[in-house]
Amino acid sequence: MSEQSGPPTDDPFGGREPTSHERMTGLPWDASYHEGRAPWDIDGPQPAIVRVASKGGFAGAVLDAGCGTGENALHVAALGLSVVGVDVAETALAIARAKAEDRRIEIEFAAADALRLETLGRRFVTVLDCGLFHTFDAGERPGYAASLASVTEPDGILYVLCFSDDGPDTGPHPVSREELRAAFNPGAGWTITAIQPDRIHTRFHVDGAPAWLATVTRI
């Protein structure tokens, strides 16, 4: 790409197409980190992800898609695994890198569009989506599933922790089991091993919001 064809410097979306969530709010994801912690930034990894890690659920090269300020990725990297965390929010990535330096954890954080992960030019054995899938609308989900498939090794494992539609006090953008199955289907290169009820902790939910933890295998 020539210098002249790069995105305008005043483009808050960095030359990419805004996601449905960004179109709805009128703000790029980066704006979520401009005035203190984002609602999902709980200053620690999600308990569900800690539990998966404690059971040996992460192996090989690991990708955290939509890593935010890096707490989940840092937790996995601290176990000695090779981890790459990606996000479109440069402010969140800067915070994540500072945390890694302070904690002396070896990890890579990079700017990348979750809908265009093939641009990474890399493949991973384990992929994590914590709180990203539910932000995409039905029209974006097939492309997102394909993007994840492009960087996941055959027989690799994807974990999706997302807000569910089952229970009171649901989070924003709740999704159903059926929507997960529709997105991660064999035709898209995936098979769902399990969808279990769980919780996503936020700064506004004392005991977490209802969630699904899906375990998905790349075929």
Side-chain angles (χ1 to χ4, degrees):
M1 181 178 292
S2 66
E3 292 182 1
Q4 289 79 10
S5 61
T9 57
D10 60 349
D11 177 7
F13 302 103
R16 63 180 173 82
E17 186 71 20
T19 66
S20 58
H21 178 86
E22 290 171 319
R23 292 195 298 272
M24 180 183 70
T25 63
L27 296 170
W29 279 112
D30 198 66
S32 301
Y33 302 93
H34 290 177
E35 297 180 4
R37 289 187 296 150
W40 53 86
D41 199 347
I42 60 172
D43 281 342
Q46 287 288 331
I49 305 310
V50 174
R51 190 170 63 252
V52 170
S54 72
K55 295 178 179 179
F58 293 92
V62 178
L63 173 68
D64 183 354
C67 65
T69 63
E71 290 292 349
N72 295 312
L74 288 162
H75 179 77
V76 176
L79 301 176
L81 292 165
S82 173
V83 180
V84 177
V86 299
D87 207 291
V88 294
E90 293 282 5
T91 302
L93 291 171
I95 295 169
R97 293 184 185 112
K99 289 179 182 179
E101 184 176 357
D102 289 343
R103 301 176 196 179
R104 299 183 179 179
I105 297 175
E106 186 173 342
I107 188 171
E108 179 183 348
F109 290 108
D113 183 351
L115 296 172
R116 301 288 184 272
L117 291 172
E118 67 278 2
T119 61
L120 293 172
R122 300 160 71 171
R123 284 183 170 265
F124 301 87
V125 176
T126 314
V127 178
L128 171 63
D129 169 339
C130 181
L132 181 57
F133 174 80
H134 59 230
T135 70
F136 293 123
D137 66 18
E140 291 166 320
R141 289 172 188 164
Y144 179 51
S147 176
L148 290 170
S150 74
V151 294
T152 307
E153 294 280 9
D155 297 321
I157 299 297
L158 163 68
Y159 296 105
V160 180
L161 184 66
C162 62
F163 287 127
S164 86
D165 62 347
D166 185 18
D169 199 19
T170 58
H173 310 300
V175 300
S176 66
R177 279 189 171 100
E178 291 70 28
E179 287 174 297
L180 281 163
R181 292 192 183 103
F184 299 105
N185 63 75
W190 300 99
T191 182
I192 291 182
T193 304
I195 302 176
Q196 300 171 318
D198 216 304
R199 310 293 288 181
I200 291 181
H201 288 247
T202 78
R203 295 196 295 111
F204 303 113
H205 293 84
V206 176
D207 297 315
W212 302 122
L213 175 61
T215 304
V216 192
T217 302
R218 178 75 166 94
I219 57 176

